[in-house]
Amino acid sequence: MIDRYDWPGGTEAVLRFGPAAGPVVVLALPPFEEANRTRTLMVAVLRRLGDAGIAGALPDLPGQGESLVATEAATLADWRAAFAACVATLPQPRFSLSVRAGALVDGEANVQARWSLSPQTGPELSRELHRTARAASTPGAAIPWQNPQRVLGHNNIPVRAGIQGQAEQRLAEPCSAGLLPAQEHGEAVLTRPAEAGVEITGNRIGARLLDALAGADIGTPDRIVRLESDTRSADHRLPFSPPWRRAEPDADPLLAQALAADIAEWVRTWLAA
């Protein structure tokens, strides 16, 4: 079911799964391209949880999914505020699920506990975005980043300056009088100049978000699940390849079932405690 929720900056969509009452899990996907690669899988997980009597919710965040907010206008503070606002509309008990950098989003939500698949900190995401941008701009890459004279939009920041350099230069420029503060979204943001962004794999990422990621942490999830290729500390490890590294989105029914089983057991353990 498609529903809506309000947050201080506007209204966003949320997909609802399973029963209308009882425990509910709220999913925070990773941003940008990884959201495209993991959404099908995690929707399959939420459907399996619904069949097991555990409700699920997948909110769009400002600048992500079907949101009307421009991607480059998104900020980490707005993502956190929107996710917390969505959680507050749902029945208790509530639990958050996050995938990768989705763990940056759910820390302010009023939930019983947090479950995370391969959580990724802000600096880790920032470094990965930087590597992606550099790889895309190497000689011979089949995209128009090779031309050192090419610039991004109206702000005249060279594309090949690198993420950190572009963000620093943008932040040093005088603010445009037409820009809205981070919390002011809605229809007005669609008709005003967008904050300058850095384009990476088709996503224009705003300088404020890049700056926030540099120091953003995930806190301490109550349960961390990792895949077998990830040797970092985990509460549980699953023998599957990372879905965010695959060439195409894949529901992977075996992985979906394994994740759903782990989440369901974790929720039931919390409820029984």
Side-chain angles (χ1 to χ4, degrees):
M1 177 181 73
I2 300 177
D3 201 353
R4 310 288 298 181
Y5 73 94
D6 294 325
W7 70 286
T11 300
E12 300 291 352
V14 55
L15 290 177
R16 300 283 300 273
F17 302 83
V24 58
V25 296
V26 192
L27 174 61
L29 289 174
F32 314 127
E33 183 60 26
E34 286 194 3
N36 298 329
R37 296 178 186 273
T38 58
R39 184 182 180 93
T40 299
L41 169 69
M42 295 310 296
V43 164
V45 170
L46 292 178
R47 286 178 173 151
R48 283 170 168 77
L49 290 172
D51 293 339
I54 299 172
L58 173 54
D60 276 346
L61 300 179
Q64 301 291 288
E66 301 301 318
S67 175
L68 295 179
V69 176
T71 300
E72 63 192 290
T75 69
L76 183 58
D78 286 351
W79 285 349
R80 289 172 170 172
F83 189 86
C86 179
V87 168
T89 68
L90 300 170
Q92 296 197 43
R94 303 178 293 230
F95 302 85
S96 70
L97 311 179
S98 64
V99 178
R100 296 275 282 168
L104 295 167
V105 171
D106 66 350
E108 297 179 8
N110 182 14
V111 294
Q112 294 289 115
R114 300 168 62 211
W115 180 101
S116 188
L117 175 62
S118 299
Q120 186 181 43
T121 68
E124 288 170 341
L125 174 58
S126 182
R127 288 193 294 271
E128 190 158 304
L129 291 171
H130 199 148
R131 286 194 297 269
T132 300
R134 292 189 64 179
S137 63
T138 53
I143 56 174
W145 282 32
Q146 298 175 52
N147 183 356
Q149 301 303 317
R150 183 174 179 263
V151 297
L152 287 176
H154 62 276
N155 57 315
N156 295 327
I157 299 174
V159 172
R160 297 190 64 181
I163 289 178
Q164 189 63 31
Q166 292 178 52
E168 289 175 357
Q169 182 173 337
R170 174 57 185 144
L171 290 170
E173 293 176 349
C175 294
S176 170
L179 295 179
L180 293 174
Q183 294 294 327
E184 296 182 14
H185 289 308
E187 293 183 359
V189 83
L190 301 177
T191 60
R192 300 194 183 198
E195 179 180 324
V198 178
E199 187 169 338
I200 304 172
T201 62
N203 295 287
R204 287 182 61 83
I205 306 173
R208 286 180 298 174
L209 177 54
L210 289 171
D211 185 63
L213 290 176
D217 205 351
I218 60 172
T220 306
D222 297 280
R223 182 170 178 81
I224 294 177
V225 174
R226 298 188 188 276
L227 304 179
E228 63 180 0
S229 60
D230 189 340
T231 60
R232 291 175 293 177
S233 175
D235 297 296
H236 185 50
R237 209 173 301 276
L238 294 171
F240 295 90
S241 63
W244 47 88
R245 300 296 187 209
R246 297 175 187 174
E248 297 292 339
D250 183 4
D252 194 340
L254 293 179
L255 176 55
Q257 181 57 43
L259 292 172
D262 188 83
I263 295 164
E265 180 61 26
W266 173 73
V267 169
R268 293 183 184 119
T269 300
W270 269 91
L271 295 177

